[in-house]
Amino acid sequence: MTRVALAFSGGLDTTVCVPLLEEEYGYDDVIGVTVDVGQPAEEFDEAEETAEALGLDHYVVDAREEFAQLCLESVRANATYQGYPLGTALARPVIAEAILEVAEEQNCTGIAHGCTGKGNDQLRFEAVWRSSDLEVIAPVRELGLTREWEQEYAAERDLPVEGGSGGDWSIDTNIWSRSVEGDKLEDPNYVPPRDIYEWTDEPGSETEEIEITFEQGYPVAVDGEEYEPVALIESLNELAGSYGVGRTDTMEDRMLGLKVRENYEHPAATTLLNAHEALEGLVLTQEERQFKKQIDQQWSQKGYEGLIDAPLVSALEGFIAETQTRVTGTVTIRFEGGQARPVARDSKFAAYSAEHASFDTETVGKIKQEDATGVAKYHGFQRRLANEAIAANAADEEVELATDGSGDNEE
């Protein structure tokens, strides 16, 4: 008997995939796998009810702790893509690995998803699955299905989907971010209504300050109370979200070259990333900060591509781990006007001296202020030489033009 494991959400795409995998691909048995990375409870209820109506064996895997740990690794790498924290991108490899484990345990010969051929997720899932011996199937992409065709197919087959629509927006949620896209949001000139947001309130005039504690780059406590990763992220999502922190409306460049309009909510991610970067600014040297920006950018790119297990990432994390040994301390964050702003930071590893930096002290340790005179004389020396040469040559050209008469106007 041939069996295929399907990444199953209970929505239109994956529901339609069930009969298609049997009829178009010839599989005897389809099993559905749903992976918990922090979605709302109602999504699991929908998946369970749909699976039951389809007579589908349904497996639910709890991967929240693994995903939360990866999110905190992304904080150490200051990971963002085109200005927003990586949520969906980081979740996909975790989901793909969990589905693959179930597929192998259940002796499947195939593994399938309901992604289209236009998005990033197909690449992120398959980057994991193609390391196995299982056949990888993508019915929506391979059969060229449209949402309208799927709706008609679902209606004809009386498939258990709510009118085949699933609402006005396409929403993806995990503990690190909530993305909203589709319908009118595809128009870059369309102003989103306030009701697209669920995690973030409209920013108001109220403010609040919290203190976040880091140990070797990992956030571990808020206001002195220690949290496990999942609880830490969830509590900050609620708190920061109540101040309107963490909204992004962006034109995103996908891996396949398409430019798409995306809306994101990420209160905890924004708060932790801002706090972590502020603490790095206190403890890392100038050279470390400059070079780490390149490391962070490469880590973020691989994270966006779903290639977080690439050898390059392991090498990058070697550098990151070394720098994070000193990223221990506290950062005070002020929530105000939809922002999570660092307003204080403290660490025993601070590469900073208030006494040396003060305007009220005459010296910097054993260095006298007058010692900077020589540096000031040399600073910009090459620029001055270059500008003098440019000016001298420009003057010579004007003299030549005047001498040969080529600058005269002749009728």
Side-chain angles (χ1 to χ4, degrees), residues 65-79 90 176 216-219 229 233 272-273 276 280 292 296 299-300 308 313 317-318 320-321 324:
E65 290 186 9
E66 180 183 353
F67 178 54
Q69 186 59 46
L70 179 57
C71 292
L72 298 192
E73 296 292 346
S74 79
V75 170
R76 302 214 308 171
N78 299 310
L90 293 181
W176 200 236
Q216 296 191 5
Y218 293 111
I233 295 168
L272 293 174
L273 286 165
H276 177 264
E280 281 194 337
K292 190 169 183 291
D296 292 345
W299 196 103
S300 300
I308 207 66
V313 176
E317 288 181 342
I320 292 172
Q324 299 307 291

Side-chain angles (χ1 to χ4, degrees), residues 6 13-27 30 54 56 153-154 157 159:
L6 171 66
D13 295 325
T14 56
T15 299
V16 165
C17 282
V18 174
L20 290 175
L21 286 167
E22 297 171 342
E23 298 168 8
E24 298 294 329
Y25 292 88
Y27 276 94
V30 181
L54 289 169
L56 187 71
Y153 181 83
R157 297 299 185 93
L159 298 178

Side-chain angles (χ1 to χ4, degrees), residues 15-335:
T15 299
V16 165
C17 282
V18 174
L20 290 175
L21 286 167
E22 297 171 342
E23 298 168 8
E24 298 294 329
Y25 292 88
Y27 276 94
D28 300 313
D29 188 29
V30 181
I31 65 172
V33 187
T34 304
V35 182
D36 185 357
V37 286
Q39 305 94 308
E42 55 266 23
E43 291 190 19
F44 296 100
D45 294 338
E46 178 185 4
E48 188 63 40
E49 291 171 5
T50 305
E52 184 177 352
L54 289 169
L56 187 71
D57 286 340
H58 185 222
Y59 299 82
V60 178
V61 181
D62 187 349
R64 288 176 299 169
E65 290 186 9
E66 180 183 353
F67 178 54
Q69 186 59 46
L70 179 57
C71 292
L72 298 192
E73 296 292 346
S74 79
V75 170
R76 302 214 308 171
N78 299 310
T80 62
Y81 178 76
Q82 295 189 340
Y84 72 89
L86 298 173
T88 301
L90 293 181
R92 290 305 185 247
V94 174
I95 293 171
E97 287 283 2
I99 296 171
L100 180 58
E101 288 181 12
V102 173
E104 292 176 337
E105 290 170 359
Q106 297 302 314
N107 298 314
C108 293
T109 55
I111 191 165
H113 62 72
C115 303
T116 72
K118 294 184 177 182
N120 293 324
D121 286 345
Q122 57 178 331
L123 307 180
R124 295 164 178 157
F125 278 124
E126 294 183 30
V128 174
W129 293 348
R130 292 189 183 278
S131 297
S132 73
D133 295 328
L134 277 63
E135 179 186 14
V136 177
I137 308 127
V140 176
R141 179 185 70 201
E142 294 165 2
L143 300 176
L145 307 185
T146 64
R147 195 162 186 82
E148 182 180 357
W149 185 94
E150 291 178 19
Q151 291 168 350
E152 292 176 357
Y153 181 83
E156 291 172 1
R157 297 299 185 93
D158 195 25
L159 298 178
V161 292
E162 297 179 1
S165 65
D168 294 331
W169 322 114
S170 176
I171 299 173
D172 183 83
T173 305
N174 57 58
I175 59 173
W176 200 236
S177 76
R178 177 177 179 270
S179 68
V180 188
E181 62 181 344
D183 200 65
K184 293 181 180 179
L185 289 175
E186 293 176 350
D187 178 1
N189 199 39
Y190 173 73
V191 178
R194 293 182 177 181
D195 62 9
I196 72 165
Y197 300 111
E198 289 187 3
W199 285 11
T200 54
D201 296 334
E202 287 295 306
S205 59
E206 294 184 358
T207 67
E208 181 175 349
E209 291 181 5
I210 63 170
E211 184 182 78
I212 300 175
T213 302
F214 288 85
E215 291 183 2
Q216 296 191 5
Y218 293 111
V220 296
V222 177
D223 289 335
E225 181 178 353
E226 295 186 358
Y227 288 88
E228 292 299 316
V230 173
L232 175 68
I233 295 168
E234 289 179 339
S235 64
L236 282 177
N237 272 333
E238 183 175 353
L239 178 59
S242 69
Y243 289 94
V245 170
R247 291 183 180 181
T248 299
D249 188 328
T250 185
M251 297 304 301
E252 179 179 326
D253 294 303
R254 286 182 175 170
M255 284 184 273
L256 292 179
L258 290 172
K259 190 181 290 291
V260 294
R261 199 266 186 91
E262 297 277 3
N263 282 263
Y264 295 98
E265 293 181 282
H266 34 76
T270 295
T271 302
L272 293 174
L273 286 165
N274 289 358
H276 177 264
E277 194 166 7
L279 188 56
E280 281 194 337
L282 177 65
V283 304
L284 299 186
T285 63
Q286 181 183 24
E287 294 88 351
E288 287 175 309
R289 293 176 71 184
Q290 288 176 338
F291 191 73
K292 190 169 183 291
K293 286 182 179 180
Q294 301 175 53
I295 300 294
D296 292 345
Q297 192 278 329
Q298 288 292 321
W299 196 103
S300 300
Q301 183 64 38
K302 289 293 135 186
Y304 182 73
E305 294 170 356
L307 302 177
I308 207 66
D309 63 344
L312 173 62
V313 176
S314 296
L316 297 173
E317 288 181 342
F319 177 85
I320 292 172
E322 178 63 28
T323 62
Q324 299 307 291
T325 58
R326 307 197 313 279
V327 186
T328 294
T330 60
V331 177
T332 301
I333 290 287
R334 177 180 295 160
F335 299 126

Side-chain angles (χ1 to χ4, degrees), residues 384-396:
R384 293 195 295 272
L385 285 180
N387 286 340
E388 288 172 3
I390 291 169
N393 279 280
D396 289 344

